Every structure is written in C-alpha cells, then in structure tokens.
Amino acid sequence: MAIYYSSTRNANDKVTASQAILKGLADDGGLFVPSEIPALDVSLKDLADMTYQQTAYEVLKLFLTDFTEEELKHCIDSAYDSKFDTEEIAPLVEADGAYYLELFHGATIAFKDMALSILPHLLITAARKNEVKNDIVILTATSGDTGKAALAGFADVKGTKIVVFYPKNGVSPIQEKQMVTQKGDNTYVVGIKGNFDQAQTGVKQMFNDSAFAELMDANGYQFSSANSINIGRLVPQIAYYVYAYAKLLKEGVIADGEKINVAVPTGNFGNILAAFYAKNMGLPIAKLICASNENKVLFDFFETGTYDKNREFMLTSSPSMDILISSNLERLIYRIAGNDAEKNAALMKSLTETGVYAITPQMRGQLADFVGGYATEEETAATIKDLYEKTGYIIDTHTAVAASVYTKYRKEHADDAKTVIASTASPFKFTRSVMKAIDPQYDTMGDFELVDELSKIGNVKIPKAIEEIRNAPVVHDHVCEVAQMPDAVKEFLGIR
Ligand SMILES: *Cc1c(COP(=O)(O)O)cnc(C)c1O
C-alpha cells in the first residue's frame, strides 16, 4: 500500500517518499510524517534468520513505497557494506544484564552512520526519480557526529555538495579533527561562534528562505537536509531496532512476542522516535526510555507536559546530546495531537515565539510508553567506571547517559524486562572523557596517547576512523558568526 508524506504543520501538502527525502523539510517549516505507520509484514521468527541488509529491506519497503525493490536493495547494499567493520553491522553485546546495541561500527564510529551511509543513495535515487536537474546542496547543522557522518556519506558523490556548520567550541577534539580533515571537493566545513541550537536554527532559516531558494535555483542548486529531520534518516534507523529484537529472539534470550524495553541517549529525538515507530509497526517494545544529559528539557517535558527551552545551555561530556530544541519531537507531538497539523502548528509557533509550549492532559495520556530520565555528569562518569570495573566493557559518554538512566529506572520500578541500550558512539570518539571517568589521572595524557591506552585497557582494536585522522592535515578552517551562515554558503557555491 502506498504511503504518502505530509507536513506536521499542514495536512494538505502531500508528497511521495522520494519527494519528502529530496525536500528534507516541508515548505511550511514542518517535518514530513507518513500517512500511516505500516505494520511489519513478516513474522518475528522469519526476521530472526535475516541479515541486517535483509531486515533493513523489510522496513524500508513499507515506508518508501515509491522506490522499487531493485532501487532499495541497491541503496541498502551500497550503504551497509565493508565501510562497517563487522558483517553484523549492528552487533548486540551483553554487559551487566543489559544488551548494548553497538551502532558505531560504520565509517565515523557513531550511530549517525547507520542512516547517513544510506541517505546519499536514497537521495540520488530520489533525484533521478523526480527528474531533478539541479545539484543538491546538503545543508547540515551538527552537534558533532552528524557532520562527519554526512561528510563521509556525501564526499565526492556526483551531483551533490555538502556544507556542515558546527559549534566551534561545542564538539570534542576528535569530532572536530574528523570534520576539518574531511577530503572531497564538494565538502565545506564551517565552525560557528555559537551553540548547536543556533547552528540548527540558522540552517532551518536558510531552508525557509524562499528568496534564497530562488537564487539557488537560478544557479543550478537546491537545498536538501541530512539532519535527522529528513525522513530518509529516520526510516533506516527503525531497522536496527527490528534487527536487535530479532537477534535476541534468535539467541533465545527472549521468547517470540516477549516485550523488551529500549533505552536511548537522546538529543534531537530522532533515534528514540525510530524506536517508537518500530513499536508502532508491531515490534514488541514495552517502555521507551528517553535518556537526557544535564540539558534535561525532555525529562522535564515527560514529567510536566510542558516543553520549555528557556534555560541555560550546558556543555557536557556528551556533546551530541547538548540540545535544547529536539526537532524530531515535533513528529511525536503531531501524533499525540491526533495527527492534527493545525494543533501541532500552534504549539510549534508558541515554541518559536516564546520558547515554551504545553500539551493537553489528553495528549499527555498518550505518552505512557515513554519514560524520561537524565544523568548528571558525575553519574555518567560513574557509570562508565562501574561498568568497566565490573565487566571490562568500555562505553562512551552518550551510551553511559542511557545506561545510568536505565539502571535508575530498573531499580525504581523493579522492571526486569530485557533491555536494549542504544550504544551510539565508540568510546574512541570521546576518549578523554571516557578515560578520565575511569581514572582522573589519564587527563594528563595527549589525545592519541589516550587512544592507545584505551585500546590497551579495553582490549579493543583502534578503529580505522581514528587511525585515519592521527596524521591527516586540516583542510577546513573557516569560522563565522551565526548571522553570516548564509554568506558562507553563498561563498562556497560561488553565488551572490
Ligand atoms: C546524535 C547522537 C545522539 C542523539 O541522537 P538523536 O537522534 O539526536 O536523539 C546520541 N548519541 C550520539 C553519540 C549521537 O551522535
């Protein structure tokens, strides 16, 4: 059955999946949502015998209904190949009674690779389908991980250019080095003098600027987005929850149909929304545990029903979650508003104008499957240390936020359901914070000395992504004010 996509802010604007992927964001600033969430049409038992690629196909075919089987399989096979350092693509590791779904085995060692390795292929296919003549300019704001994953995905992809904005002082040294050493003539990386929310808002403004769009078109360009607001990122993320469940079933950890919990370190709400979609497709998931760091705007939202971004922005050791405006939450709000675009639009208008909105008690009633929690910096560090000392397994700071929140939840609610924790980054990406958590004395070491030490004490191989940047030259050193972001794009494209 054909699935269409409409804006969360205007029900009348219906497009196909490929058009939604091309556009990224709807014209009215809303996010594209599917006309319905399709049910899985294979049994869990059958899924248990599938590879990651086969599982991905079973999910993608239901959402991206204007793509042919051949097109989808080509996209999937081009994405989930030897760029990943394990054939499993997303292995599941048991440690201290929880199941860590390692989503960091791709090119840039963070979970963004799961979606961003396939998005360029989906986008190119979508452009061909819709007879797009313009070059596609991917505009991306990053809190650290999206940027590199998008750069790696799009570098030297014909017919595309990519511009990445990141907060100059808001990403880890390894994250920054990964981005500024990015090769490819079609790539452009800019540090902004501001935080992630400002980068994201700046990018959204460019998307909504119709004069800019006309100027682009006149020069043979059009924007698209690689941010997690693009439905072409969200849908591939559903696949790994289905895969994880099937894996637990195959290994006899759970019975067919047994409900599991998932715990997700959350920033922009894309990853956990994918889990929510998976649940709505029929995957037996009980609780969706939404873990925040000290930027706990989502925790407060689940506690009170009021979303309030008016607060101090904290820089934490889990920078990819340092976010006060969780863009993808809008898709959930739309849904619990009864798929009512008008109601959602009013709430989002309030968010833009005042930084606050409150949902109705009736809407709140539909959030029962979500559990909000947060971890302080101390709790996050203690979680890394405890798990390491107990099991020898080393997790990154983001994953540790989820592990900490999960541990507290499990204790408080005596809920012993098997739980999958989304492990969103390799510890090698946040080496200093991770090693300092294990022993503060490590802080005196240099960045790459720490990498070697982590490999030694954790008994894990240094990922290729890290080896590659050790001696790579910096090729991007552009820094600009927030207000100059459009000028930076024009300069890169050579248009005025
Ligand atoms: C992006 C990111 C997150 C947050 O994911 P969202 O989909 O934005 O909620 C968590 N951890 C890591 C390592 C990330 O890169």
Side-chain angles (χ1 to χ4, degrees):
M1 189 194 33
I3 299 279
Y4 288 92
Y5 290 80
S6 64
S7 165
T8 47
R9 300 185 193 177
N10 175 358
N12 299 323
D13 196 6
K14 279 200 172 36
V15 299
T16 61
S18 65
Q19 287 164 343
I21 289 171
L22 273 173
K23 293 186 80 147
L25 202 63
D27 290 335
D28 53 23
L31 277 58
F32 285 113
V33 277
S35 44
E36 71 178 88
I37 297 179
L40 282 167
D41 63 2
V42 274
S43 70
L44 298 169
K45 257 211 189 77
D46 287 342
L47 284 163
D49 290 323
M50 289 187 192
T51 62
Y52 190 85
Q53 292 81 354
Q54 289 166 331
T55 310
Y57 175 69
E58 292 302 326
V59 172
L60 265 59
K61 72 169 194 201
L62 298 172
F63 280 95
L64 310 181
T65 51
D66 70 326
F67 287 70
T68 66
E69 175 171 351
E70 194 189 347
E71 284 169 342
L72 283 180
K73 287 189 170 164
H74 177 73
C75 289
I76 289 168
D77 291 340
S78 310
Y80 305 114
D81 61 6
S82 59
K83 288 191 286 300
F84 286 76
D85 67 9
T86 159
E87 267 179 28
E88 288 182 280
I89 308 295
L92 207 51
V93 175
E94 195 269 338
D96 197 25
Y99 295 84
Y100 289 84
L101 178 61
E102 294 189 348
L103 302 172
F104 55 76
H105 288 272
T108 76
I109 61 176
F111 98 96
K112 305 292 194 293
D113 289 327
M114 300 303 297
L116 281 165
S117 48
I118 191 166
L119 183 68
H121 302 287
L122 294 174
L123 202 64
I124 292 299
T125 309
R128 209 169 35 229
K129 270 183 172 322
N130 291 278
E131 294 173 7
V132 169
K133 302 277 183 310
N134 288 334
D135 272 10
I136 295 180
V137 180
I138 301 295
L139 210 51
T140 294
T142 184
S143 55
D145 290 334
T146 295
K148 179 63 189 188
L151 287 163
F154 282 97
D156 294 324
V157 172
K158 264 183 78 173
T160 71
K161 291 188 190 295
I162 171 160
V163 185
V164 169
F165 292 100
Y166 73 96
K168 179 68 191 157
N169 297 315
V171 300
S172 83
I174 301 262
Q175 285 179 315
E176 181 167 37
K177 183 110 199 248
Q178 279 189 309
M179 288 191 279
V180 299
T181 56
Q182 178 64 47
K183 291 183 223 146
D185 288 342
N186 65 335
T187 66
Y188 192 52
V189 179
V190 185
I192 64 151
K193 296 182 191 161
N195 62 36
F196 170 70
D197 283 324
Q198 290 169 303
Q200 178 158 263
T201 303
V203 162
K204 277 194 185 169
Q205 276 166 0
M206 280 188 261
F207 276 123
N208 293 337
D209 183 340
S210 52
F212 203 167
E214 276 171 35
L215 177 69
M216 293 275 292
D217 191 46
N219 286 277
Y221 293 117
Q222 70 189 60
F223 283 135
S224 188
S225 162
N227 272 79
S228 62
I229 48 179
N230 194 313
I231 197 78
R233 268 189 66 184
L234 190 60
V235 171
Q237 291 182 179
I238 300 169
Y240 50 73
Y241 289 106
V242 176
Y243 182 70
Y245 187 94
K247 205 63 172 296
L248 289 174
L249 180 60
K250 185 183 172 120
E251 287 169 7
V253 175
I254 53 173
D256 194 347
E258 182 176 336
K259 285 192 174 173
I260 62 166
N261 294 331
V262 299
V264 185
T266 298
N268 228 351
F269 211 76
N271 200 0
I272 194 161
L273 188 74
F276 176 72
Y277 277 23
K279 179 181 165 93
N280 283 278
M281 292 180 82
L283 196 70
I285 294 176
K287 294 293 180 193
L288 299 149
I289 301 169
C290 174
S292 300
N293 64 22
E294 289 179 358
N295 293 293
K296 59 183 186 59
V297 60
L298 286 166
F299 167 76
D300 293 339
F301 169 70
F302 285 116
E303 285 293 288
T304 65
T306 297
Y307 193 93
D308 183 356
K309 74 155 186 99
N310 300 321
R311 60 182 74 205
E312 195 187 340
F313 185 94
M314 315 285 248
L315 290 177
T316 72
S317 59
S318 45
S320 302
M321 297 158 66
D322 289 346
I323 289 174
L324 294 179
I325 304 175
S326 294
S327 295
N328 267 298
L329 185 65
E330 180 169 345
R331 289 191 165 109
L332 180 65
I333 298 296
Y334 169 83
R335 188 175 168 89
I336 62 173
N339 297 337
D340 185 333
E342 219 170 299
K343 214 160 155 185
N344 173 65
L347 293 174
M348 294 307 134
K349 185 157 176 271
S350 167
L351 180 65
T352 308
E353 288 172 0
T354 66
V356 185
Y357 63 81
I359 60 172
T360 63
Q362 201 207 354
M363 288 167 77
R364 265 191 89 184
Q366 296 175 64
L367 295 177
D369 294 337
F370 284 90
V371 179
Y374 74 100
T376 63
E377 287 291 274
E378 292 74 27
E379 288 172 323
T380 304
T383 300
I384 294 171
K385 186 179 166 75
D386 287 351
L387 188 63
Y388 171 65
E389 286 176 352
K390 247 191 218 166
T391 67
Y393 186 57
I394 302 181
I395 54 175
D396 101 292
T397 45
H398 302 74
T399 309
V401 168
S404 167
V405 167
Y406 165 61
T407 306
K408 286 184 281 184
Y409 165 80
R410 182 176 180 171
K411 224 190 242 155
E412 263 167 47
H413 297 264
D415 178 351
D416 281 335
K418 300 284 187 310
T419 297
V420 167
I421 296 177
S423 183
T424 51
S426 158
F428 285 97
K429 199 153 190 177
F430 301 94
T431 324
R432 182 165 301 276
S433 300
V434 168
M435 294 299 278
K436 250 167 66 182
I438 292 172
D439 185 345
Q441 289 194 7
Y442 282 126
D443 205 18
T444 56
M445 287 189 179
D447 285 332
F448 284 97
E449 260 180 294
L450 282 173
V451 164
D452 294 331
E453 187 67 14
L454 170 56
S455 169
K456 207 166 81 195
I457 68 164
N459 195 22
V460 268
K461 224 176 122 225
I462 300 172
K464 211 168 86 209
I466 295 292
E467 291 294 5
E468 276 170 6
I469 58 166
R470 245 183 226 258
N471 301 307
V474 170
V475 290
H476 303 275
D477 58 0
H478 201 98
V479 177
C480 79
E481 302 288 341
V482 175
Q484 291 170 339
M485 289 168 61
D487 294 332
V489 173
K490 288 177 196 167
E491 190 187 309
F492 172 55
L493 299 176
I495 62 176
R496 297 170 200 229

